[in-house]
Amino acid sequence: METRVLAPGDEGIAAAAEAIRRKGTVAFPTETVYGLGADALSARAVARVFAAKERPRFDPVIVHVAEPSAVELLWTEVPPLAQELIDRFWPGPLTLVLPRRRRVPPIVTAGLPTVGVRMPAHPVALELIREAGRPIAAPSANRFGRLSPTHHEDVLDQLNGRVDVVIAGGPTPVGIESTVVSLVEDVPVVLRPGGTPLEALRECVPNLRMAPPSGPSASPGTLARHYVPATPLLLLERGPAPAGGEPVERRACGFLAYQEGWTGFGRVEVLSPSGDLVEAGARFFAALHRLDRAGLSAIVAEPLPEEGLGVAMMDRLRRAATGKAYVGEELVWRVR
Ligand code: TXA
Ligand code: MG
């Protein structure tokens, strides 16, 4: 199929909305990452999203709305806590999971009795949903298990020829996927840390719990291996290397740094010279993409502070990592 790349102006958005109404697939920018969208109320349309991504059917998709009141179409009920979180955090990177109405096709929810919904804080996404006149189901616009795209060029790299439309909206401002919170049980559970910091959520929800890292109750997007670059990713450990490590030349490795001060690597990507986790979030996936494309033997990632957006970035790094790295003067020791 031929993929049309459209500018994010009125004309492009109108054509993209028309593609959605005709049950086509449209990659569009949100404040977090690019989504690959289709008519959320059409099983046939959503099936084409799964096919383009090669995504297994057990992974549910988030439904995007352009105004808070649209949740009434999707959820059987809007409990007071949901309303409170919506009032405070929408539009924004927060997905809420609640029991679904029957009109939401099972393919959207992977057969679950619940559906995740969010209202994105991006003018192009909101305009697209409004013009399409229906909620849009959209996972991140990457092949299954690969890095999430934070620029339309990353979308084209992975999905050119596999989707009907890509809206060329440039870089996405937040850069990390939404925080997913289930309100199905009495105690709210974070299924995936993301662009809405847990500290902010806890102000409204003091009894918020974290889901176990994986297992049946966890969110499918929390599969232990996920978000992987093609180049092996190693988490930096401090201190002397233990015996049994595999040596790799330092200049054959890339380095994902939080702040400056790392030299001798083939390529260094600094997430935030001033140590700002919001800035780091906006650059996170793009930096990983660049390192992944640089033809390196391995990528060494420095752990980030686990607060604010750092929690979500560390979650993605741990899932992507295939081992640990100890950095010496000229060599990096790779340990599984
Ligand atoms: O920021 C984002 O969330 C982006 C943009 C495009 O909105 N979307 C995104 O979608 O990251 P995706 O499909 O890559 O991740 C959505 C994850 C699923 O893998 C699953 O973990 C969780 O959200 N999810 C969605 N619906 C759910 C449900 N009904 N129950 C449990 N988890 C659900
Ligand atoms: Mg994804």
Side-chain angles (χ1 to χ4, degrees), residues 53 55 139-140 142 148 177 192 226-227:
K53 282 188 58 125
R55 180 178 173 116
S140 49
N142 50 278
S148 292
E177 304 92 333
R192 177 179 75 181
H226 208 118
Y227 309 105

Side-chain angles (χ1 to χ4, degrees), residues 35-117:
L36 178 58
D39 180 346
L41 302 181
S42 161
R44 181 161 63 91
V46 176
R48 300 189 56 221
V49 169
F50 278 81
K53 282 188 58 125
E54 295 173 355
R55 180 178 173 116
R57 296 281 177 106
F58 59 74
D59 203 3
V61 175
I62 293 169
V63 176
H64 298 70
V65 295
E67 46 259 301
S69 61
V71 297
E72 279 158 33
L73 195 74
L74 304 165
W75 291 334
T76 53
E77 190 186 348
V78 185
L81 179 58
Q83 194 57 53
E84 210 181 302
L85 292 171
I86 287 171
D87 292 344
R88 167 122 189 235
F89 293 103
W90 283 11
L94 177 65
T95 297
L96 298 173
V97 175
L98 277 164
R100 71 170 168 97
R101 285 196 188 276
R102 286 228 304 273
R103 69 162 67 83
V104 180
I107 186 172
V108 171
T109 68
L112 295 171
T114 58
V115 60
V117 183

